[in-house]
Amino acid sequence: MGTAADGLVAGFVGGGFMAAVHSRAARSARARLLGISSSSPARSQRAADELGIEHAYDGLTELLADDRLDVVHICTPNALHHEQALAVIASGRHVICEKPLAVTVAQAEELVRAAERAGVTATVPFVYRFHPMVREARARVAAGHVGRLLSIHGSYLQDWLLEAGDDNWRVDAALGGRSRAFGDIGSHLVDLIEFVTGDRIARVSALTSTFFGSRPSHATVTTEDAAAVTLETRGGAIGTLLVSQAAPGRKNRLHLEIAGSAESIAFDQEQPETLWLGRRSGRVLLPRDPAQLGPDAARLSVVPAGHAQGYVDAFAGFVADTYAAIGGESPEGLPRFADGLRAARITEAVLDSAETGHWITIDDEGTA
């Protein structure tokens, strides 16, 4: 097995878009890309060829049998995460599992307990935490620049499932789970809210909508295309969220604005080089300039000001910090399985509220 100093030995499960993203980030963190398994031997070989990974394995069992392996990246459909992550943990390997961590809260709880018992590093790629300007927003809140938190406005909008002819495995509840739009991208939004503000969402009231009851490969679609949520935090702030995968022209627009008694802060993932800071006396755009940022934001600024950073850099930062944790370090703000469980609880509350028409309190009782 490798070490953090000389480069870890990484394996991958799943051969789609996210496997490509994970493998690039692993390579940038100096990992050895040892092997990959996908849904069939042929798909495994194709993914290995396309991604420049050394070996194609017929399945996860064969991959885990290779004693050179240190860490496994799980990049498969949501319904497979629980079983596959448990297998990786049982083998004694560290694990990075795509979100949502699991399709039920009970499964996510089991994964948290398993990782803690095994003593392995187990993380979830809530990678928007790794934009330097998100870290700067968090630092400003923690330092008291915002004042008392008053309100939150957030959205995560995409258009890739806008039309009835658009289709993907994620619309299938058997593969993607009970929630689609909120579980897939809303989880990022609520994680970012709690990460930046340091406050917890206490209760939610939600509406969901499925715009298309069928799609080309799915005669019946039950998962939501959009969700609208009203929330209250434990600290007493109120907020609104809109999540949609059918918003024309929005490709990956995660936007968060928090308003405090002294200052507002807004971050737009499609324009990640600046923070909007609003005060009663005026407003400014703070650039991603390490000379003007706090230590954690400056640490994640891997190129000088004026050289744009984005999603790929954020993902690389997440994987690098995960690998550092495997090596015994304690990186700031690393999203672990407990954060995946937290997102699962909020997602469940959103769906329960939409189904019942009631406010739902989010309870962390039972966390391992």
Side-chain angles (χ1 to χ4, degrees), residues 114-133:
E116 289 180 347
R117 285 195 301 264
V120 299
T121 297
T123 63
V124 180
F126 287 128
V127 297
Y128 299 115
R129 292 185 179 198
F130 290 82
H131 281 294
M133 302 315 287

Side-chain angles (χ1 to χ4, degrees), residues 33-347:
L33 277 55
L34 178 66
I36 188 168
S37 69
S38 191
S39 56
S40 69
R43 288 177 65 88
S44 298
Q45 188 61 60
R46 183 162 63 248
D49 293 341
E50 290 175 350
L51 302 178
I53 296 173
E54 293 178 26
H55 302 289
Y57 293 90
D58 287 351
L60 178 59
T61 300
E62 184 177 303
L63 174 67
L64 294 178
D66 193 322
D67 61 9
R68 294 172 291 179
L69 201 62
D70 296 309
V71 58
V72 176
H73 296 243
I74 297 175
C75 315
T76 53
N78 308 343
L80 301 176
H81 292 175
H82 174 252
E83 178 182 357
Q84 291 174 340
L86 284 178
V88 174
I89 292 167
S91 78
R93 274 47 173 260
H94 307 282
V95 58
I96 298 174
C97 183
E98 261 302 325
K99 32 66 36 199
L101 178 60
V103 295
T104 68
V105 169
Q107 287 183 350
E109 289 173 341
E110 185 178 5
L111 288 173
V112 171
R113 290 192 296 266
E116 289 180 347
R117 285 195 301 264
V120 299
T121 297
T123 63
V124 180
F126 287 128
V127 297
Y128 299 115
R129 292 185 179 198
F130 290 82
H131 281 294
M133 302 315 287
V134 165
R135 297 299 176 104
E136 183 65 15
R138 185 175 190 244
R140 293 186 72 85
V141 173
H145 296 305
V146 170
R148 180 168 67 93
L149 184 62
L150 303 177
S151 64
I152 299 164
H153 174 66
S155 62
Y156 200 152
L157 307 177
Q158 299 176 334
D159 69 359
W160 68 288
L161 290 171
L162 173 63
E163 299 175 355
D166 297 324
D167 209 347
N168 184 268
W169 63 261
R170 288 176 175 82
V171 310
D172 187 342
L175 294 175
R178 180 182 170 206
S179 176
R180 176 172 26 104
F182 202 89
D184 183 21
I185 59 177
S187 58
H188 278 296
L189 178 58
V190 294
D191 178 77
L192 206 62
I193 288 169
E194 294 192 340
F195 181 70
V196 169
T197 66
D199 201 356
R200 291 272 194 166
I201 298 170
R203 62 184 189 132
V204 295
S205 177
L207 292 172
T208 62
S209 183
T210 302
F211 302 135
F212 303 105
S214 65
R215 290 182 182 270
S217 299
H218 298 89
T220 302
V221 175
T222 59
T223 55
E224 79 282 0
D225 291 302
V229 182
T230 303
L231 65 85
E232 183 179 20
T233 72
R234 293 180 184 175
I238 59 173
T240 60
L241 310 178
L242 180 62
V243 173
S244 177
Q245 293 175 325
R250 295 299 190 185
K251 301 305 177 185
N252 197 48
R253 210 260 186 163
L254 188 163
H255 181 266
L256 173 63
E257 182 168 333
I258 59 176
S261 57
E263 180 179 88
S264 293
I265 299 179
F267 173 76
D268 181 352
Q269 196 278 147
E270 290 187 337
Q271 303 292 332
E273 288 287 280
T274 58
L275 275 184
W276 182 91
L277 305 177
R279 308 180 185 95
R280 190 163 188 176
S281 58
R283 56 193 183 274
V284 298
L285 284 178
L286 177 66
R288 187 194 56 77
D289 179 355
Q292 301 181 57
L293 304 179
D296 204 30
R299 174 181 75 89
L300 291 169
S301 292
V302 295
V303 293
H307 300 74
Q309 289 187 217
Y311 173 80
V312 170
D313 303 290
F315 215 106
F318 159 73
V319 170
D321 274 9
T322 296
Y323 288 4
I326 291 171
E329 299 180 30
S330 299
E332 171 70 19
L334 182 63
R336 299 179 184 264
F337 271 19
D339 298 297
L341 170 57
R342 175 67 183 170
R345 286 202 167 107
I346 297 174
T347 299

Side-chain angles (χ1 to χ4, degrees), residues 9-29:
V9 179
F12 304 85
V13 188
F17 165 71
M18 290 314 304
V21 175
H22 279 252
S23 63
R24 282 194 295 267
R27 185 174 281 110
S28 75

